[in-house]
Amino acid sequence: MLTEADGGPVAVVVRGANVHDSLLLQDALEQVVVEPPDPRQHQQHLCLDKAFSGAPSDATARVFGYEPHVRRIGEEKLDAKSGKKKHPARRWVVERTIGWLNRCRGILVRYEKKAENYLAVVQLACALLWFRRLHRLTT
Protein backbone atom coordinates (compact mmCIF):
# COMPACT_ATOMS: atom_id res chain seq x y z
CA MET A 1 0.00 0.00 0.00
CA LEU A 2 1.17 3.48 -0.86
CA THR A 3 -0.27 6.38 1.13
CA GLU A 4 0.04 10.13 1.24
CA ALA A 5 1.49 11.90 4.30
CA ASP A 6 -1.82 11.94 6.20
CA GLY A 7 -2.56 8.27 5.58
CA GLY A 8 -4.91 8.49 2.62
CA PRO A 9 -4.48 5.44 0.38
CA VAL A 10 -3.06 6.28 -3.04
CA ALA A 11 -2.16 2.84 -4.45
CA VAL A 12 -2.81 -0.78 -3.48
CA VAL A 13 -1.16 -3.95 -4.76
CA VAL A 14 -2.29 -7.46 -3.79
CA ARG A 15 0.30 -10.25 -3.94
CA GLY A 16 1.16 -13.34 -1.95
CA ALA A 17 2.65 -13.06 1.52
CA ASN A 18 5.87 -14.73 0.37
CA VAL A 19 6.82 -11.85 -2.00
CA HIS A 20 9.32 -9.34 -0.59
CA ASP A 21 8.09 -5.74 -0.31
CA SER A 22 10.93 -4.30 -2.38
CA LEU A 23 9.80 -6.35 -5.40
CA LEU A 24 6.36 -4.68 -5.26
CA LEU A 25 7.59 -1.07 -5.28
CA GLN A 26 7.37 -0.68 -9.05
CA ASP A 27 3.89 -2.22 -9.13
CA ALA A 28 2.70 0.11 -6.38
CA LEU A 29 4.10 3.20 -8.10
CA GLU A 30 2.43 2.16 -11.36
CA GLN A 31 -0.94 1.80 -9.59
CA VAL A 32 -1.05 5.39 -8.25
CA VAL A 33 -4.52 6.73 -9.03
CA VAL A 34 -3.74 10.43 -8.53
CA GLU A 35 -1.32 12.10 -10.92
CA PRO A 36 1.50 13.68 -8.88
CA PRO A 37 2.66 17.25 -9.58
CA ASP A 38 5.41 17.88 -12.12
CA PRO A 39 8.70 16.75 -10.49
CA ARG A 40 10.55 19.66 -12.13
CA GLN A 41 8.39 22.14 -10.20
CA HIS A 42 7.71 20.25 -6.95
CA GLN A 43 10.07 17.63 -5.62
CA GLN A 44 8.18 14.49 -4.56
CA HIS A 45 9.50 12.57 -1.54
CA LEU A 46 8.92 8.88 -0.91
CA CYS A 47 9.44 7.74 2.69
CA LEU A 48 10.34 4.05 2.79
CA ASP A 49 11.26 1.57 5.48
CA LYS A 50 14.46 -0.43 5.67
CA ALA A 51 13.07 -3.20 3.43
CA PHE A 52 13.49 -0.78 0.51
CA SER A 53 17.10 0.21 1.20
CA GLY A 54 19.27 -0.55 -1.78
CA ALA A 55 20.10 0.53 -5.29
CA PRO A 56 17.19 -1.20 -7.10
CA SER A 57 14.53 0.48 -4.94
CA ASP A 58 16.28 3.86 -5.18
CA ALA A 59 16.46 3.57 -8.97
CA THR A 60 12.79 2.58 -9.22
CA ALA A 61 11.69 5.54 -7.10
CA ARG A 62 13.81 7.96 -9.13
CA VAL A 63 12.40 6.64 -12.43
CA PHE A 64 8.92 7.59 -11.23
CA GLY A 65 10.13 11.06 -10.15
CA TYR A 66 10.37 10.50 -6.39
CA GLU A 67 13.25 11.26 -4.04
CA PRO A 68 13.57 8.14 -1.83
CA HIS A 69 14.19 8.49 1.90
CA VAL A 70 15.02 5.42 3.97
CA ARG A 71 15.17 6.15 7.68
CA ARG A 72 17.28 3.74 9.68
CA ILE A 73 16.08 2.40 13.02
CA GLY A 74 16.79 4.86 15.82
CA GLU A 75 17.83 7.60 13.43
CA GLU A 76 16.03 10.88 14.00
CA LYS A 77 16.58 14.13 12.15
CA LEU A 78 17.31 16.91 14.66
CA ASP A 79 17.50 20.65 14.13
CA ALA A 80 21.05 21.94 14.71
CA LYS A 81 19.93 25.00 16.71
CA SER A 82 17.23 23.67 19.01
CA GLY A 83 18.11 19.97 19.12
CA LYS A 84 14.45 19.09 18.45
CA LYS A 85 12.93 17.11 15.60
CA LYS A 86 12.79 19.01 12.33
CA HIS A 87 9.78 17.25 10.83
CA PRO A 88 6.97 15.22 12.39
CA ALA A 89 7.45 11.47 12.49
CA ARG A 90 6.04 9.68 9.46
CA ARG A 91 6.30 6.17 10.78
CA TRP A 92 3.24 3.97 11.16
CA VAL A 93 1.24 5.93 8.54
CA VAL A 94 0.70 2.88 6.34
CA GLU A 95 0.01 0.65 9.33
CA ARG A 96 -2.62 3.11 10.56
CA THR A 97 -4.28 3.08 7.12
CA ILE A 98 -4.29 -0.72 7.12
CA GLY A 99 -5.91 -0.53 10.55
CA TRP A 100 -8.64 1.70 9.09
CA LEU A 101 -9.17 -0.81 6.28
CA ASN A 102 -9.38 -3.69 8.75
CA ARG A 103 -12.64 -2.21 10.05
CA CYS A 104 -14.22 -3.56 6.87
CA ARG A 105 -15.08 -7.18 7.54
CA GLY A 106 -14.81 -8.14 3.87
CA ILE A 107 -11.12 -7.22 3.97
CA LEU A 108 -10.31 -8.56 7.41
CA VAL A 109 -11.81 -11.96 6.61
CA ARG A 110 -10.96 -12.70 2.99
CA TYR A 111 -14.05 -14.26 1.43
CA GLU A 112 -12.93 -13.80 -2.19
CA LYS A 113 -10.88 -16.56 -3.76
CA LYS A 114 -9.68 -14.59 -6.78
CA ALA A 115 -7.06 -11.90 -6.26
CA GLU A 116 -8.86 -9.55 -8.68
CA ASN A 117 -12.06 -9.67 -6.62
CA TYR A 118 -10.17 -9.07 -3.37
CA LEU A 119 -8.32 -6.13 -4.95
CA ALA A 120 -11.68 -4.66 -6.01
CA VAL A 121 -12.98 -4.88 -2.43
CA VAL A 122 -9.81 -3.25 -1.08
CA GLN A 123 -10.04 -0.45 -3.66
CA LEU A 124 -13.71 0.10 -2.78
CA ALA A 125 -12.77 0.36 0.90
CA CYS A 126 -10.02 2.86 0.02
CA ALA A 127 -12.56 4.95 -1.91
CA LEU A 128 -14.83 4.82 1.16
CA LEU A 129 -11.95 6.10 3.33
CA TRP A 130 -11.44 9.03 0.96
CA PHE A 131 -15.18 9.77 0.94
CA ARG A 132 -15.26 9.81 4.75
CA ARG A 133 -12.24 12.14 4.87
CA LEU A 134 -13.85 14.48 2.36
CA HIS A 135 -17.13 14.47 4.29
CA ARG A 136 -15.32 15.16 7.56
CA LEU A 137 -13.36 18.06 6.04
CA THR A 138 -16.42 19.73 4.49
CA THR A 139 -18.61 19.59 7.61
Side-chain angles (χ1 to χ4, degrees), residues 55-129:
S57 296
D58 286 347
T60 302
R62 290 184 202 290
V63 164
F64 284 92
Y66 292 98
E67 178 65 31
H69 300 281
V70 179
R71 183 71 44 95
R72 304 292 187 256
I73 296 175
E75 177 185 338
E76 295 292 335
K77 195 165 204 161
L78 301 176
D79 190 11
K81 294 180 182 177
S82 64
K84 295 182 181 178
K85 289 184 189 178
K86 245 181 161 179
H87 302 286
R90 291 188 176 97
R91 296 178 304 214
W92 311 115
V93 176
V94 176
E95 286 81 1
R96 180 182 62 192
T97 305
I98 292 172
W100 292 340
L101 290 175
N102 282 339
R103 293 181 194 166
C104 301
R105 186 173 177 187
I107 295 173
L108 186 60
V109 179
R110 184 174 174 174
Y111 295 108
E112 292 79 16
K113 292 184 179 183
K114 292 185 178 180
E116 298 87 15
N117 296 344
Y118 184 68
L119 178 61
V121 171
V122 172
Q123 289 174 341
L124 181 64
C126 290
L128 182 62
L129 282 177

Side-chain angles (χ1 to χ4, degrees), residues 1-59:
M1 176 172 287
L2 184 65
T3 65
E4 54 140 8
D6 292 330
V10 178
V12 177
V13 177
V14 176
R15 295 288 186 268
N18 59 349
V19 179
H20 195 267
D21 291 341
S22 64
L23 300 176
L24 300 176
L25 180 61
Q26 182 174 355
D27 294 339
L29 292 174
E30 288 173 353
Q31 296 296 323
V32 173
V33 294
V34 179
E35 196 65 35
D38 186 13
R40 294 175 296 224
Q41 296 176 357
H42 302 284
Q43 188 176 15
Q44 295 293 307
H45 299 277
L46 186 64
C47 297
L48 303 166
D49 62 4
K50 195 170 178 176
F52 297 97
S53 64
S57 296
D58 286 347

